[in-house]
Amino acid sequence: MVNDAMGPLDFLLEDLKVKYAAQEAERAFLRLYDDQDLSQMFAVLHERLNRHFESINDRARSTHHYWAESSRDFIALIHELNQDLQGLRRAGIRIALDDRYTQAIKRCDPWLSSSCGSTIPDDFEQIMVVKYEPVFIRPRMTTSLKKRQPAVSLKMEGQGSYAIVYSYVDPDYGIRFAIKRAKRGIEERDLLRFKREFEVMKAACGWRARAPGRRCRCRPEQQDQP
Protein backbone atom coordinates (compact mmCIF):
# COMPACT_ATOMS: atom_id res chain seq x y z
CA MET A 1 0.00 0.00 0.00
CA VAL A 2 1.35 3.44 -0.97
CA ASN A 3 1.86 5.82 1.95
CA ASP A 4 -0.29 8.87 1.08
CA ALA A 5 1.72 10.99 3.53
CA MET A 6 4.90 10.53 1.49
CA GLY A 7 5.72 12.52 -1.63
CA PRO A 8 8.36 12.21 -4.38
CA LEU A 9 11.02 13.89 -2.22
CA ASP A 10 10.40 11.44 0.62
CA PHE A 11 10.77 8.47 -1.73
CA LEU A 12 13.95 9.91 -3.23
CA LEU A 13 15.53 10.48 0.19
CA GLU A 14 14.49 7.01 1.31
CA ASP A 15 16.09 5.42 -1.77
CA LEU A 16 19.31 7.39 -1.28
CA LYS A 17 19.46 6.39 2.39
CA VAL A 18 19.07 2.71 1.50
CA LYS A 19 21.58 2.95 -1.32
CA TYR A 20 24.35 4.57 0.72
CA ALA A 21 23.60 2.71 3.95
CA ALA A 22 24.86 -0.38 2.13
CA GLN A 23 28.22 1.33 1.58
CA GLU A 24 30.67 1.78 4.43
CA ALA A 25 32.27 5.11 5.25
CA GLU A 26 35.12 5.73 7.66
CA ARG A 27 34.42 7.74 10.79
CA ALA A 28 36.93 10.36 9.59
CA PHE A 29 34.41 11.31 6.91
CA LEU A 30 31.17 10.67 8.82
CA ARG A 31 32.21 13.16 11.51
CA LEU A 32 32.30 15.95 8.92
CA TYR A 33 28.56 15.79 8.22
CA ASP A 34 25.50 16.16 10.45
CA ASP A 35 22.74 16.23 7.86
CA GLN A 36 19.78 14.17 9.08
CA ASP A 37 19.03 12.72 5.65
CA LEU A 38 22.25 12.76 3.65
CA SER A 39 25.25 12.41 5.98
CA GLN A 40 25.97 8.82 4.90
CA MET A 41 25.76 9.74 1.22
CA PHE A 42 28.07 12.72 1.66
CA ALA A 43 30.62 10.72 3.66
CA VAL A 44 30.68 7.81 1.20
CA LEU A 45 31.11 10.05 -1.84
CA HIS A 46 33.70 12.24 -0.11
CA GLU A 47 35.77 9.19 0.84
CA ARG A 48 35.57 7.70 -2.66
CA LEU A 49 36.56 11.00 -4.29
CA ASN A 50 39.51 11.36 -1.93
CA ARG A 51 40.67 7.85 -2.70
CA HIS A 52 40.77 8.60 -6.42
CA PHE A 53 42.32 12.04 -6.02
CA GLU A 54 45.11 10.68 -3.83
CA SER A 55 45.81 7.87 -6.30
CA ILE A 56 45.80 10.26 -9.24
CA ASN A 57 48.22 12.60 -7.45
CA ASP A 58 50.52 9.66 -6.79
CA ARG A 59 50.43 8.41 -10.39
CA ALA A 60 50.94 11.96 -11.70
CA ARG A 61 54.23 12.04 -9.78
CA SER A 62 55.39 8.71 -11.20
CA THR A 63 54.12 6.89 -14.31
CA HIS A 64 51.38 9.33 -15.45
CA HIS A 65 49.18 6.28 -16.04
CA TYR A 66 45.94 5.70 -14.12
CA TRP A 67 44.92 2.05 -14.11
CA ALA A 68 42.04 0.87 -16.31
CA GLU A 69 39.90 -0.49 -13.47
CA SER A 70 40.42 2.64 -11.39
CA SER A 71 39.63 4.83 -14.39
CA ARG A 72 36.35 2.99 -14.97
CA ASP A 73 35.47 3.24 -11.30
CA PHE A 74 36.18 6.98 -11.25
CA ILE A 75 34.09 7.54 -14.41
CA ALA A 76 31.22 5.59 -12.80
CA LEU A 77 31.61 7.61 -9.59
CA ILE A 78 31.40 10.92 -11.46
CA HIS A 79 28.26 9.71 -13.27
CA GLU A 80 26.70 8.51 -10.00
CA LEU A 81 27.56 11.76 -8.25
CA ASN A 82 26.02 13.89 -11.00
CA GLN A 83 22.94 11.68 -11.24
CA ASP A 84 22.20 11.78 -7.51
CA LEU A 85 22.84 15.52 -7.14
CA GLN A 86 20.65 16.25 -10.19
CA GLY A 87 17.90 14.06 -8.72
CA LEU A 88 18.03 16.04 -5.49
CA ARG A 89 18.04 19.32 -7.41
CA ARG A 90 14.93 18.32 -9.34
CA ALA A 91 13.27 17.51 -6.03
CA GLY A 92 14.11 20.97 -4.73
CA ILE A 93 17.25 20.18 -2.71
CA ARG A 94 20.32 22.05 -3.92
CA ILE A 95 23.58 20.42 -2.82
CA ALA A 96 26.78 22.41 -3.33
CA LEU A 97 30.00 20.53 -4.06
CA ASP A 98 33.14 22.34 -2.95
CA ASP A 99 34.49 24.34 -5.89
CA ARG A 100 37.94 22.76 -5.47
CA TYR A 101 36.43 19.35 -6.12
CA THR A 102 34.20 20.57 -8.93
CA GLN A 103 37.26 21.96 -10.71
CA ALA A 104 39.31 18.82 -10.00
CA ILE A 105 36.66 16.63 -11.64
CA LYS A 106 36.53 18.97 -14.64
CA ARG A 107 40.31 18.74 -15.01
CA CYS A 108 40.27 14.94 -14.87
CA ASP A 109 37.30 14.34 -17.14
CA PRO A 110 39.01 15.05 -20.52
CA TRP A 111 41.75 12.42 -20.08
CA LEU A 112 39.81 9.68 -18.31
CA SER A 113 39.36 6.58 -20.47
CA SER A 114 37.26 3.48 -19.80
CA SER A 115 39.67 1.17 -21.63
CA CYS A 116 43.41 0.50 -21.34
CA GLY A 117 43.80 2.97 -18.50
CA SER A 118 44.13 6.75 -18.63
CA THR A 119 47.14 8.90 -19.47
CA ILE A 120 47.58 11.74 -16.98
CA PRO A 121 48.93 14.88 -18.71
CA ASP A 122 52.55 15.79 -17.98
CA ASP A 123 51.53 19.24 -16.79
CA PHE A 124 48.76 17.93 -14.52
CA GLU A 125 48.49 20.06 -11.38
CA GLN A 126 48.20 18.17 -8.10
CA ILE A 127 44.68 18.03 -6.65
CA MET A 128 44.13 19.55 -3.22
CA VAL A 129 42.65 16.70 -1.17
CA VAL A 130 40.25 17.93 1.52
CA LYS A 131 40.26 15.73 4.62
CA TYR A 132 39.14 17.85 7.54
CA GLU A 133 36.20 19.87 6.24
CA PRO A 134 33.00 18.95 4.37
CA VAL A 135 32.99 19.17 0.59
CA PHE A 136 29.22 18.65 0.29
CA ILE A 137 27.02 21.44 1.62
CA ARG A 138 23.26 21.46 1.91
CA PRO A 139 22.59 25.20 2.16
CA ARG A 140 19.92 26.70 4.34
CA MET A 141 17.60 28.02 1.64
CA THR A 142 15.70 30.65 3.63
CA THR A 143 16.62 33.85 5.41
CA SER A 144 14.78 35.99 7.94
CA LEU A 145 14.10 39.68 7.37
CA LYS A 146 13.94 41.93 10.41
CA LYS A 147 10.51 43.35 9.62
CA ARG A 148 8.88 40.32 8.04
CA GLN A 149 7.71 36.80 8.84
CA PRO A 150 7.92 34.12 7.60
CA ALA A 151 11.41 33.73 6.16
CA VAL A 152 11.94 34.32 2.44
CA SER A 153 13.33 31.70 0.06
CA LEU A 154 16.86 31.91 -1.29
CA LYS A 155 18.23 31.04 -4.71
CA MET A 156 21.79 29.76 -4.86
CA GLU A 157 23.77 31.76 -7.44
CA GLY A 158 27.29 30.36 -7.08
CA GLN A 159 30.19 29.61 -4.76
CA GLY A 160 33.89 30.16 -4.27
CA SER A 161 36.52 28.56 -2.09
CA TYR A 162 35.18 29.93 1.20
CA ALA A 163 31.66 31.28 0.65
CA ILE A 164 28.36 30.70 -1.16
CA VAL A 165 26.31 33.49 -2.77
CA TYR A 166 22.49 33.48 -2.71
CA SER A 167 19.85 35.92 -3.89
CA TYR A 168 16.29 36.69 -2.82
CA VAL A 169 13.55 39.09 -3.81
CA ASP A 170 12.54 41.45 -1.02
CA PRO A 171 8.73 41.18 -0.81
CA ASP A 172 8.44 44.81 0.34
CA TYR A 173 10.62 46.43 -2.33
CA GLY A 174 10.30 43.87 -5.15
CA ILE A 175 14.09 44.12 -5.58
CA ARG A 176 16.58 41.24 -5.72
CA PHE A 177 19.30 41.30 -3.07
CA ALA A 178 22.34 39.10 -2.48
CA ILE A 179 23.57 37.25 0.59
CA LYS A 180 27.08 35.84 0.91
CA ARG A 181 27.53 33.11 3.51
CA ALA A 182 30.90 31.81 4.67
CA LYS A 183 31.20 28.04 4.55
CA ARG A 184 31.45 26.03 7.75
CA GLY A 185 34.96 25.19 8.93
CA ILE A 186 36.86 27.72 6.83
CA GLU A 187 40.31 28.78 7.98
CA GLU A 188 40.74 31.90 10.11
CA ARG A 189 42.54 33.75 7.30
CA ASP A 190 39.58 33.15 4.96
CA LEU A 191 37.12 34.31 7.61
CA LEU A 192 39.14 37.53 8.06
CA ARG A 193 39.15 37.96 4.28
CA PHE A 194 35.38 37.46 4.27
CA LYS A 195 34.92 40.14 6.95
CA ARG A 196 37.22 42.62 5.17
CA GLU A 197 35.34 42.05 1.92
CA PHE A 198 32.06 42.79 3.70
CA GLU A 199 33.39 46.05 5.16
CA VAL A 200 34.48 47.19 1.69
CA MET A 201 31.09 46.25 0.21
CA LYS A 202 29.25 47.93 3.07
CA ALA A 203 31.13 51.17 2.53
CA ALA A 204 30.50 51.03 -1.24
CA CYS A 205 26.80 50.25 -0.75
CA GLY A 206 26.46 53.09 1.76
CA TRP A 207 27.81 55.53 -0.82
CA ARG A 208 25.48 54.24 -3.55
CA ALA A 209 22.46 54.19 -1.25
CA ARG A 210 22.77 57.98 -0.79
CA ALA A 211 22.14 58.54 -4.51
CA PRO A 212 18.51 59.42 -5.42
CA GLY A 213 16.42 56.38 -6.33
CA ARG A 214 19.06 53.86 -5.20
CA ARG A 215 18.45 51.13 -2.64
CA CYS A 216 21.20 48.86 -1.41
CA ARG A 217 21.47 46.18 1.28
CA CYS A 218 24.50 44.16 2.40
CA ARG A 219 23.83 40.83 4.11
CA PRO A 220 26.81 38.76 5.24
CA GLU A 221 26.24 35.55 7.16
CA GLN A 222 29.23 33.92 8.75
CA GLN A 223 28.22 30.29 8.67
CA ASP A 224 26.32 28.14 6.23
CA GLN A 225 24.52 25.15 7.71
CA PRO A 226 24.69 21.74 6.00
Side-chain angles (χ1 to χ4, degrees):
M1 179 180 294
V2 176
N3 188 341
D4 293 333
M6 295 182 68
L9 176 58
D10 299 302
F11 293 129
L12 173 63
L13 291 175
E14 183 179 28
D15 286 350
L16 288 175
K17 285 181 180 180
V18 172
K19 173 183 174 180
Y20 287 100
Q23 304 179 48
E24 292 186 2
E26 293 184 3
R27 181 182 176 278
F29 294 94
L30 287 169
R31 67 185 179 180
L32 300 177
Y33 301 100
D34 58 2
D35 188 285
Q36 181 178 354
D37 299 310
L38 301 171
S39 286
Q40 181 72 15
M41 171 184 168
F42 294 160
V44 168
L45 292 173
H46 190 166
E47 182 176 351
R48 291 176 63 189
L49 286 169
N50 276 21
R51 192 181 306 125
H52 280 289
F53 290 158
E54 288 170 349
S55 295
I56 289 170
N57 283 344
D58 180 64
R59 302 300 285 183
R61 290 189 295 264
S62 54
T63 66
H64 288 272
H65 179 79
Y66 200 43
W67 309 281
E69 184 176 351
S70 296
S71 294
R72 287 191 290 271
D73 184 73
F74 191 24
I75 291 171
L77 172 59
I78 294 172
H79 175 74
E80 180 180 8
L81 171 64
N82 289 333
Q83 189 176 49
D84 288 343
L85 294 187
Q86 287 172 8
L88 287 167
R89 190 177 299 117
R90 286 194 296 270
I93 298 178
R94 183 73 178 266
I95 304 300
L97 176 62
D98 190 292
D99 191 59
R100 292 167 293 184
Y101 274 35
T102 300
Q103 295 304 317
I105 291 172
K106 287 182 179 179
R107 289 197 292 119
C108 292
D109 188 64
W111 52 260
L112 282 171
S113 174
S114 59
S115 61
C116 301
S118 304
T119 301
I120 302 173
D122 292 337
D123 60 350
F124 184 79
E125 183 179 345
Q126 292 280 297
I127 298 169
M128 178 182 291
V129 179
V130 180
K131 297 181 178 180
Y132 303 111
E133 57 186 286
V135 297
F136 292 97
I137 301 169
R138 182 177 179 179
R140 179 164 51 90
M141 298 306 289
T142 61
T143 191
S144 297
L145 303 181
K146 289 183 178 180
K147 297 181 179 181
R148 193 176 186 93
Q149 292 291 339
V152 297
S153 298
L154 298 177
K155 176 185 177 183
M156 182 177 170
E157 299 289 354
Q159 65 167 317
S161 59
Y162 65 89
I164 300 178
V165 177
Y166 307 87
S167 69
Y168 70 94
V169 175
D170 188 297
D172 294 321
Y173 294 105
I175 297 174
R176 185 170 294 278
F177 292 100
I179 294 177
K180 190 170 187 178
R181 287 179 180 164
K183 295 179 180 177
R184 290 199 320 153
I186 62 173
E187 296 182 2
E188 184 65 24
R189 64 180 182 179
D190 289 329
L191 184 57
L192 290 174
R193 178 182 170 190
F194 175 77
K195 290 178 178 178
R196 285 197 298 268
E197 183 179 295
F198 167 64
E199 292 301 327
V200 171
M201 290 292 293
K202 184 178 179 181
C205 287
W207 179 82
R208 293 190 184 98
R210 289 195 291 271
R214 299 298 295 271
R215 299 187 182 93
C216 196
R217 179 183 299 169
C218 282
R219 283 292 304 275
E221 298 189 2
Q222 290 190 8
Q223 272 202 347
D224 205 347
Q225 300 300 320

